[in-house]
Amino acid sequence: ETMSWSGVISGNSKFYCAEYVLWMLIALTWAWDSAELLNKSEGYSETVMHAAILLGSIGLFFFNAFFEIPHFFKYQRGGTAAAHIPGLWECIQDESSPLWMKRLPFFFCYFIGCSWSSVAVA
């Protein structure tokens, strides 16, 4: 959440990239732990749950690796008429865009909700 808030407050999208990398590290720890638990599962319900967590964590890792993070690498298309239109793998940032202020209430509520949810679970 710190990386996400830093991206919102500063308007720098590199913080979001760092957040996705951290989510990938978390996904790896979830995959490792669920694989260990899957090996030790005794009942059918334990096996299904640990396998679901394992698949979900692997899915999270690959989603960030192949969908989210590539947007932060600049892909240059030169010599075409559509070179000024952003492509699939491009991330265009405009710090002066009113979108940042428009999305600030969402991020504020999201952060408060996630923080209190984490407290409630702990």
Side-chain angles (χ1 to χ4, degrees), residues 54-108:
L54 177 63
L55 292 175
S57 59
I58 291 171
L60 175 63
F61 180 86
F62 284 113
F63 175 77
N64 282 320
F66 295 112
F67 181 73
E68 293 288 359
I69 291 180
H71 289 102
F72 295 95
F73 296 103
K74 188 73 173 163
Y75 173 72
Q76 295 289 337
R77 291 178 290 156
T80 63
H84 66 283
I85 300 172
L88 177 64
W89 303 112
E90 294 179 273
C91 180
I92 306 298
Q93 176 184 341
D94 181 12
E95 290 103 356
S96 63
S97 172
L99 181 63
W100 290 107
M101 290 307 292
K102 181 180 176 185
R103 295 194 71 194
L104 190 58
F106 164 77
F107 283 114
F108 179 78

